[in-house]
Amino acid sequence: MEKAIQEWIVAERSACYELFASLVTREAPFLLHTDVTEAFDAYVATEAGSVLQDSPLADAFHAAQEVAVLGERLYFSIRKAVGDWHYLVIDVEAMECRSISLSGFLSATERVVNVGQDMDARVLNVDLSPFDRGLPRLKDPRSIGKGVEFLNRHLSNHIFEDVGKGDERLFHFLRLHQAQGRPLMINHRIENARALQQVLAQAEALLADASEDAEWSQVGDALAQLGFEPGWGRTAAIMRETMGFLSDVLEAPEPKALAEFLSRIPMIFNIVILSPHGYFGQSGVLGMPDTGGQVVYILDQVRALEREMKRNIHDQGLDIKPEIIVITRLLPDAEGTTCDQPLELIQGTEFAHILRVPFRSESGEIVPEWISRFRIWPYLERFALEAEKEIRARMGGRVDLVIGNYSDGNLVSALLSERLGVVQCTIAHALEKTKYLHSGLYWKQHEAEHHFSCQFTADLIAMNTADFIITSTFQEIAGTRDNVGQYESYASFSMPDLYRVLKGIDVFDPKFNIVSPGVNEDIFFPYSESERRIQLLTDTCMGLIHGEPGEEARGQLRDPDKPLLFTMARLDPVKNVLGFLELYARSDALREQANVLIAGGYVRPDRSQDQAERNQIERMHQLFEEYKLDDQVRWIDMQTDKNRVGELYRCVADSRGLFIQPALFEAFGLTVLESMSSGLPTFATCYGGPREIIEDGISGFHVDPNHPDSVASVLSGFLARVDEDPDHWMQLSQGGIDRVQARYTWSLYAQRLLSLSRIYGFWKHISGIKREATRRYLEMFYELMYKPRAQTIDQG
């Protein structure tokens, strides 16, 4: 690339110089992708610049993720495709282009931030690439997020290619299985894989003669004489089918048969889920600091997992009670919630509990008050050790899966999985690194408030120790053609004067799997299912929409018959609720066509404990005053009762309204699923998860929050078309319902997650993919980098 660009620089020196100089004279230290592409497109639209229209510079500028400007030099990071990065420097004064290394590019960005820094200064380089050797890697970007399928294809051939060795590993894996002190699957009578293959044929013949509905009590004695134990299935038909899959694997390992067999092995009885920060409770917590969609996600996840585990255990022919523990922080100052209760049964479950463990000060005293998720890092190691004691006491040391949530929970899960010797799954929910522009380079400016030096280090550790990672969308891993994914942003970055990451995470690692959550179908169901709706809830929600203004509501709609434009989110700049309100306020067409309903934050700023949220609340009131919105906009406090929220969506649908999700970025978008499943046509940000959830124009619409006039035009155009053709609203409504029911249910989620747990646990055991060298490297990184940084945070 650099050679072709240099040839054009020589051939079209004047045009190239003008283009490069236009970037230098902007006097901005960093130019983003949109800045670079807009500058190039604007210049080639001129007569002088038209000669560069189809040049190699066009490819370079349109693929540039950022440009660092250092004096008369432009340092380009160019992303040709997911994970395919190239780095160039253009010396504007000398009019020369050359390729540089990743390290050279990061060094340049550091010198932009630290003016005058010595180019040759020694830097701590974090590089995990040496540990990739020998481990399978995806090659096709289309396979990203489908790691388990790739792993099955790769390892089923690799492990079993040596005759006998793979069979023996599988045999020993089965021999390990036991529950409550009793062996499962096979017993001591079967001595090796060859013997297993022989008795399988006998067992299948025995089961063929039995009634299909016969259970272990009827056929178990005969099977036990052959060397089998319970766990093959509830009925003779299921037992025979499961044994058939194993026979196929032993005869000729094929990925599909192997995956089917592994999905039936009784492996998952006890699950630990980590979510330390915020107020984790079942009611009255949403809207509290650091408390939102993650809580809803985990509670719905737990209910779905318990249902699926109970179904699996029943079908496997066992009578074992599963157990799920959600470990979070005990908060003595519970602010009226149940977060001061050490143990709490999760509603809708039989065997799942919230277990709360306190944070302790250096002297061992319990810390009573809430602590921001950005400041909890000094407490987590001790929290993990105390959680381990509770786990061993409740589960007897048997844990089959540890799931971490968010950066803090993932770090604790990494610590626990190592000590318990258990499969580790991580779920990011959202990675802070991509929320703040150049957050790595400017970490010092964020440190007092956000402590990114701890958080990004914790993320690197947890991502690389995890056995598998689940994400809600492809974009969360690898982004889009023009935008880097959340995980890909950790591939390489610099934190000046701290460390430089040359290889942090590889999005082609088969540990990544897309497992999208669902919605609670008992709460979020279509508005048209009138027999399921509760009149009391409907009346309550109509009061929220049309009631008198007060401490929990502002505005009263002058024309209540207009359709409602509904948005619901916490008042956070990234959620962009204020941006949506302002675009409505400035659009004469929208104000003529519709009213607005906002559920977010608190109407009274003094009720918020968060300064950033208070700033947003005060600005909301300013917009009401500035644009005189009180008779067209209804603003109510954030709603935390999920039953009420479900009915609120349906009441808005009754008005033939719309749901707007205007976030600048949304990692997934549970509210998008909730509104779609309620039958409410949904318009959501094109940045992040909603881009994958919504099929544009079929089950909703994508909108670009960076172009508010365009968003207003799209909304107004839709409302105008619905005026002429009411069926158009119905088509979008039904399209959203169909999309959710086909792709986003908790039942599908639970099946997938448990299957992943079994398969990764199997491959971890028999293939040697234990990442031991990686763990040792990361342990050193933890001790020498994370702990000293965490100790700098004031615990007072």
Side-chain angles (χ1 to χ4, degrees):
M1 176 184 288
E2 68 276 9
K3 184 178 179 181
I5 292 175
Q6 184 61 44
E7 289 174 354
W8 272 81
I9 290 175
V10 172
E12 300 292 345
R13 186 180 182 87
S14 176
C16 289
Y17 180 83
E18 284 189 21
L19 173 62
F20 302 153
S22 70
L23 300 183
V24 172
T25 54
R26 288 189 175 207
E27 297 184 350
F30 295 100
L31 304 175
L32 302 180
H33 173 72
T34 52
D35 300 323
V36 179
T37 55
E38 288 173 3
F40 181 83
D41 292 342
Y43 182 66
V44 298
T46 67
E47 184 176 350
S50 61
V51 295
L52 303 179
Q53 179 71 52
D54 298 315
S55 71
L57 281 165
D59 295 334
F61 271 66
H62 285 108
Q65 282 300 308
E66 69 175 348
V67 174
V69 183
L70 190 60
E72 293 293 316
R73 291 183 177 180
L74 302 171
Y75 291 84
F76 284 71
S77 67
I78 295 172
R79 180 177 178 256
K80 290 185 175 181
V82 175
D84 185 8
W85 291 83
H86 301 264
Y87 305 93
L88 302 174
V89 58
I90 294 176
D91 188 322
V92 181
E93 187 174 353
M95 290 299 284
E96 291 179 352
C97 174
R98 60 183 173 84
S99 174
I100 58 172
S101 65
L102 166 61
S103 185
F105 175 77
L106 293 177
S107 174
T109 62
E110 291 161 8
R111 282 182 285 128
V112 171
V113 174
N114 293 340
V115 177
Q117 175 177 298
D118 183 358
M119 287 183 63
D120 298 322
R122 291 187 63 82
V123 177
L124 172 61
N125 290 302
V126 178
D127 187 356
L128 286 123
S129 58
F131 306 106
D132 292 344
R133 295 169 188 162
L135 295 179
R137 283 292 185 273
L138 305 170
K139 294 180 181 178
D140 187 344
R142 292 174 299 180
S143 295
I144 291 173
K146 302 173 184 177
V148 76
E149 289 88 349
F150 168 82
L151 208 57
N152 278 339
R153 290 195 305 271
H154 179 90
L155 292 181
S156 60
N157 294 325
H158 178 70
I159 296 299
F160 291 92
E161 65 185 5
D162 292 332
V163 177
K165 289 187 178 179
D167 295 353
E168 285 298 325
R169 291 175 183 175
L170 177 54
F171 167 73
H172 285 295
F173 179 74
L174 294 177
R175 281 285 295 268
L176 289 175
H177 281 73
Q178 60 85 33
Q180 299 176 352
R182 178 179 178 178
L184 300 176
M185 307 296 284
I186 59 179
N187 61 37
H188 66 279
R189 287 188 171 88
I190 304 175
E191 296 181 348
N192 53 46
R194 185 174 179 181
L196 174 62
Q197 198 164 12
Q198 292 172 346
V199 296
L200 273 172
Q202 298 176 49
E204 289 180 77
L206 185 155
L207 291 169
D209 293 334
S211 166
E212 287 197 351
D213 297 328
E215 297 191 6
W216 186 266
S217 59
Q218 298 163 273
V219 298
D221 287 345
L223 289 174
Q225 290 300 314
L226 293 174
F228 294 100
E229 296 290 335
W232 293 92
R234 172 69 53 178
T235 66
I238 298 174
M239 294 179 212
R240 186 181 177 199
E241 191 176 45
T242 305
M243 289 180 178
F245 284 124
L246 178 56
S247 295
D248 291 342
V249 171
L250 294 173
E251 179 68 27
E254 189 271 326
K256 186 175 181 181
L258 180 62
E260 185 65 46
F261 174 65
L262 294 176
S263 71
R264 294 175 177 229
I265 298 179
M267 292 171 59
I268 312 295
F269 303 109
N270 294 331
I271 296 177
V272 171
I273 299 174
L274 280 304
S275 182
H277 74 256
Y279 291 77
F280 197 102
Q282 300 183 76
S283 62
V285 297
L286 296 182
M288 302 286 278
D290 289 344
T291 308
Q294 180 175 315
V295 173
V296 177
Y297 178 110
I298 293 172
L299 292 173
D300 285 342
Q301 173 198 55
V302 166
R303 295 183 186 103
L305 285 173
E306 187 190 78
R307 285 194 298 270
E308 185 65 17
M309 289 167 72
K310 288 163 66 176
R311 186 186 70 80
N312 287 344
I313 292 168
H314 176 272
D315 290 348
Q316 288 157 354
L318 302 174
D319 296 310
I320 296 172
K321 296 177 181 178
E323 185 168 13
I324 303 175
I325 299 176
V326 178
I327 299 181
T328 188
R329 184 191 166 199
L330 181 75
L331 269 167
D333 292 350
E335 300 289 338
T337 70
T338 60
C339 296
D340 57 350
Q341 295 182 16
L343 192 68
E344 185 179 356
L345 179 69
I346 294 177
Q347 297 163 9
T349 73
E350 291 183 80
F351 312 114
H353 292 83
I354 300 170
L355 175 64
R356 297 186 176 92
V357 174
F359 284 175
R360 294 187 184 274
S361 65
E362 291 179 297
S363 61
E365 296 177 349
I366 293 176
V367 179
E369 70 277 359
W370 165 82
I371 298 173
S372 163
R373 70 185 188 277
F374 295 117
R375 302 185 62 82
I376 65 176
W377 306 107
Y379 302 95
L380 294 182
E381 182 173 319
R382 190 165 188 167
F383 176 84
L385 293 173
E386 197 159 337
E388 181 189 352
K389 293 177 183 177
E390 295 284 353
I391 292 167
R392 292 189 184 277
R394 286 192 62 84
M395 294 181 164
R398 160 129 195 186
V399 181
D400 302 305
L401 175 65
V402 171
I403 304 173
N405 293 273
Y406 193 69
S407 299
D408 47 44
N410 287 328
L411 181 67
V412 175
S413 75
L415 298 174
L416 281 173
S417 64
E418 170 72 359
R419 294 179 62 87
L420 295 170
V422 63
V423 173
Q424 174 196 349
C425 167
T426 75
I427 308 174
H429 294 281
L431 291 165
E432 298 289 340
K433 187 171 176 295
T434 53
K435 289 184 180 180
Y436 300 84
L437 188 60
H438 293 123
S439 54
L441 284 170
Y442 291 102
W443 70 273
K444 291 180 184 178
Q445 286 87 330
H446 290 285
E447 194 68 358
E449 183 177 359
H450 295 126
H451 299 283
F452 285 153
S453 65
C454 285
Q455 184 155 14
F456 298 170
T457 304
D459 287 335
L460 283 172
I461 292 169
M463 290 173 191
N464 283 285
T465 58
D467 294 298
F468 68 101
I469 297 171
I470 67 171
T471 70
S472 298
T473 64
F474 174 91
Q475 290 183 71
E476 195 175 334
I477 310 168
T480 64
R481 185 184 67 179
D482 296 328
N483 297 287
V484 178
Q486 291 187 62
Y487 279 97
E488 191 180 0
S489 74
Y490 280 80
S492 61
F493 63 96
S494 179
M495 301 180 78
D497 298 324
L498 195 62
Y499 58 80
R500 182 187 296 167
V501 177
L502 301 180
K503 176 64 177 297
I505 192 69
D506 182 0
V507 295
F508 289 92
D509 191 319
K511 68 171 59 179
F512 285 103
N513 292 273
I514 299 169
V515 187
S516 300
V519 293
N520 188 326
E521 297 169 11
D522 293 329
I523 295 174
F524 302 103
F525 56 85
Y527 74 99
S528 56
E529 297 182 15
S530 55
E531 70 283 357
R532 297 178 64 185
R533 297 175 68 172
I534 299 171
Q535 188 61 46
L536 179 62
L537 276 177
T538 303
D539 294 343
T540 299
C541 289
M542 293 303 288
L544 288 172
I545 297 170
H546 298 293
E548 295 287 332
E551 291 192 348
E552 298 179 1
R554 176 166 183 174
Q556 189 165 29
L557 305 178
R558 179 183 66 237
D559 187 351
D561 293 330
K562 287 183 179 180
L564 289 165
L565 307 181
F566 177 36
T567 192
M568 179 170 60
R570 68 179 184 274
L571 294 185
D572 180 305
V574 173
K575 296 298 184 181
N576 195 36
V577 174
L578 271 68
F580 166 65
L581 180 60
E582 190 160 11
L583 78 82
Y584 170 81
R586 294 164 63 106
S587 170
D588 292 338
L590 278 180
R591 294 183 70 164
E592 179 66 29
Q593 294 169 300
N595 295 319
V596 164
L597 173 65
I598 295 172
Y602 297 98
V603 173
R604 279 182 48 187
D606 61 343
R607 294 181 62 200
S608 174
Q609 299 178 38
D610 186 281
Q611 183 58 52
E613 183 182 51
R614 286 198 294 272
N615 294 340
Q616 292 274 298
I617 293 170
E618 289 165 1
R619 178 59 182 152
M620 282 273 284
H621 286 292
Q622 290 173 5
L623 290 174
F624 266 79
E625 299 295 335
E626 182 179 348
Y627 291 100
K628 297 180 173 52
L629 297 172
D630 280 286
D631 60 355
Q632 292 184 291
V633 177
R634 176 74 166 180
W635 171 23
I636 59 176
D637 280 358
M638 187 69 182
Q639 300 300 299
T640 59
D641 184 303
K642 300 307 289 183
N643 287 292
R644 188 183 298 170
V645 169
E647 188 61 23
L648 200 54
Y649 286 119
R650 290 186 285 272
C651 286
V652 174
D654 290 337
S655 81
R656 290 299 185 265
L658 314 175
F659 184 76
I660 321 298
Q661 208 276 29
L664 300 176
F665 178 83
E666 183 61 59
F668 181 60
L670 279 176
T671 56
V672 172
L673 288 185
E674 291 170 357
S675 63
M676 290 168 66
S677 63
S678 303
L680 195 53
T682 301
F683 294 68
T685 178
C686 61
Y687 299 110
R691 188 181 184 92
E692 292 178 40
I693 295 172
I694 291 173
E695 302 162 291
D696 192 42
I698 300 173
S699 53
F701 287 95
H702 303 146
V703 294
D704 188 341
N706 294 312
H707 299 281
D709 291 343
S710 173
V711 176
S713 177
V714 169
L715 293 172
S716 179
F718 180 83
L719 291 170
R721 181 170 175 182
V722 168
D723 257 355
E724 297 175 1
D725 177 15
D727 285 345
H728 186 57
W729 188 95
M730 295 293 296
Q731 289 167 7
L732 265 293
S733 171
Q734 191 60 47
I737 294 168
D738 293 344
R739 177 69 170 173
V740 173
Q741 291 177 349
R743 293 283 298 273
Y744 301 98
T745 71
W746 280 112
S747 176
L748 292 172
Y749 174 99
Q751 292 172 32
R752 177 75 168 162
L753 177 55
L754 292 176
S755 176
L756 290 173
S757 305
R758 296 186 186 98
I759 293 171
Y760 278 92
F762 170 74
W763 287 124
K764 180 177 181 177
H765 175 77
I766 78 162
S767 69
I769 300 181
K770 297 183 180 180
R771 305 178 188 268
E772 290 298 332
T774 307
R775 276 193 176 271
R776 298 296 168 258
Y777 182 85
L778 294 169
E779 283 172 6
M780 180 176 65
F781 192 44
Y782 176 89
E783 293 293 335
L784 299 180
M785 182 58 66
Y786 172 80
K787 285 182 73 171
R789 294 306 311 170
Q791 288 165 3
T792 66
I793 300 175
D794 181 17
Q795 297 185 45

